[in-house]
Amino acid sequence: MTESRIQTQRDREKKRRLRSQQQQTVSTPHTVWTQRARSISSETAEMTTSTNKQREVYNQQGFLSALPVLNHRELTEARHAFSKLEGELGEAYTQYSLHNVHLQYPWVMGLTKHTRVLEVVQAVLGPDVILLDSRFICKYPTLKVADIQENDGGGNKPDGKDGENVLPYVAWHQDMRYWGVAGGPVLSVWLALDDSRKENGALQVIPGSHCSGMLPHRQATRPGNMLSVNQEIPEELVQAEEAVFCPLLAGQMSIHDGFLVHASDANTSQRRRCGLVIRYVPTCAYPTEDPDRPRKFQATVLACGDDQFNHFSNKST
């Protein structure tokens, strides 16, 4: 074989390899895009199925629990920021008086609009949601009455007899008794900054009790009730034997319907139980007039979606 023929074969081989590489270059993006599209489609289907299941369970039971929200970094930052407030304001204040501070601290606003929070909230309430109210609630292991009475934040102050230690608790109640909202449901979130266990006063709920409508409430007789108007559902109307605890790890959340009967015991442990309570309503909801307890919603924020109703005219975005 002559040298020229050998060179010709080499040239042909180079051209074949080049064409092959060009074909691979053209087809690879399409293959990657197809695989990615299939993956996204699968993830979307799984998310839709999960969302539908969450909505179904919530409608039946009136609550969902142990839903993951904050990652390690987010939780660490939130706990650090809250610790600074404890240092500046004192535990007697941060127990119950950090009310609607989402308007004051961007990091709190960030928690109320966290993607994982709003995904679940929208699954229940729909795409257009208003942040109605927020409050940090902390159950410290023990607080003396003299310290608690320094709290000037407007909430009920657990009381007892001259210097007696009183462990704050939350009596059986329904949130809708207090909120003065109609036209749509109220959804409450507890976003845990601390692990929430039975020993440190975790949330207790009566599954399905949201289907019973509004129950009578009366003035609580036991000292220490943290509810702002010191009310409770009479014990004979509470099916306490059906109660279930909703333990949470720090960074998780629970949500419950405004008519769900719920409570939480005193913290009998040596560990703090702190969380951010956030109330949401669909934009179709509106405030009602309650002559016994007039309410002003001065901290409402459009959390997501659009508001075509403007029932809360003073809301911000």
Side-chain angles (χ1 to χ4, degrees):
M1 184 178 294
T2 66
E3 184 174 342
S4 61
R5 292 183 62 185
I6 294 174
Q7 183 62 42
T8 301
Q9 288 182 348
R10 287 176 179 172
D11 292 341
R12 289 174 180 172
E13 183 64 28
K14 284 183 180 179
K15 289 180 180 180
R16 280 197 296 269
R17 285 200 299 267
L18 180 61
R19 282 197 299 269
S20 177
Q21 290 173 356
Q22 289 174 339
Q23 289 173 353
Q24 289 176 3
T25 302
V26 172
S27 63
T28 297
H30 176 75
T31 302
V32 171
W33 182 90
T34 301
Q35 292 174 344
R36 184 179 178 189
R38 288 172 179 170
S39 175
I40 292 174
S41 177
S42 176
E43 290 174 1
T44 302
E46 290 177 3
M47 186 179 298
T48 301
T49 301
S50 175
T51 298
N52 291 339
K53 182 63 176 178
Q54 286 179 335
R55 186 188 303 113
E56 179 183 349
V57 173
Y58 183 86
N59 289 338
Q60 291 176 351
Q61 300 294 318
F63 74 100
L64 296 171
S65 189
L67 303 172
V69 177
L70 304 180
N71 61 34
H72 178 73
R73 177 186 58 80
E74 293 168 333
L75 176 62
T76 299
E77 291 175 352
R79 287 171 61 93
H80 177 71
F82 188 82
S83 294
K84 289 181 63 176
L85 294 180
E86 286 181 316
E88 294 170 4
L89 303 172
E91 293 180 357
Y93 189 89
T94 56
Q95 176 187 225
Y96 196 71
S97 297
L98 288 171
H99 185 215
N100 287 331
V101 294
H102 60 272
L103 297 180
Q104 185 176 356
Y105 301 109
W107 68 272
V108 182
M109 182 70 82
L111 295 178
T112 68
K113 291 188 174 184
H114 195 288
T115 301
R116 291 192 183 93
V117 172
L118 293 183
E119 281 177 354
V120 179
V121 171
Q122 288 181 294
V124 174
L125 297 182
D128 306 319
V129 178
I130 286 175
L131 162 59
L132 188 68
D133 186 271
S134 74
R135 184 188 293 273
F136 282 99
I137 297 180
C138 278
K139 288 182 183 176
Y140 296 97
T142 58
L143 277 177
K144 289 187 177 181
V145 174
D147 295 330
I148 296 171
Q149 289 177 342
E150 294 176 6
N151 176 343
D152 61 354
N156 181 59
K157 300 159 188 167
D159 54 0
K161 298 179 181 179
D162 301 335
E164 176 187 350
N165 284 344
V166 174
L167 295 179
Y169 73 100
V170 177
W172 290 108
H173 69 286
Q174 296 166 299
D175 292 340
M176 287 298 288
R177 175 66 182 83
Y178 310 99
W179 284 108
V181 173
V186 175
L187 181 152
S188 295
V189 167
W190 176 279
L191 179 56
L193 295 189
D194 299 325
D195 290 351
S196 185
R197 303 293 186 188
K198 180 178 179 180
E199 295 75 20
N200 66 351
L203 175 70
Q204 300 178 63
V205 302
I206 310 294
S209 58
H210 64 303
C211 298
S212 299
M214 184 66 71
L215 298 176
H217 288 61
R218 68 183 181 193
Q219 286 292 298
T221 57
R222 173 186 164 193
N225 186 12
M226 296 180 75
L227 292 177
S228 57
V229 292
N230 191 32
Q231 288 201 339
E232 66 179 1
I233 299 173
E235 61 182 14
E236 62 269 17
L237 298 180
V238 178
Q239 297 174 308
E241 69 280 358
E242 297 183 6
V244 297
F245 282 93
C246 297
L248 299 173
L249 297 175
Q252 293 182 333
M253 75 172 178
S254 63
I255 68 172
H256 63 265
D257 182 83
F259 282 106
L260 188 75
V261 177
H262 61 288
S264 62
D265 291 333
N267 182 357
T268 59
S269 76
Q270 294 304 306
R271 299 182 64 182
R272 186 187 72 176
R273 176 194 177 240
C274 181
L276 176 61
V277 177
I278 319 167
R279 321 281 187 186
Y280 299 96
V281 295
T283 55
C284 59
Y286 54 87
T288 60
E289 296 294 332
D290 184 353
D292 296 328
R293 190 170 186 253
R295 290 193 63 94
K296 294 182 179 180
F297 297 98
Q298 298 178 332
T300 54
V301 174
L302 182 62
C304 53
D306 300 310
D307 185 3
Q308 301 178 0
F309 300 93
N310 292 311
H311 290 151
F312 298 89
S313 57
N314 63 327
K315 72 178 185 307
S316 58
T317 55

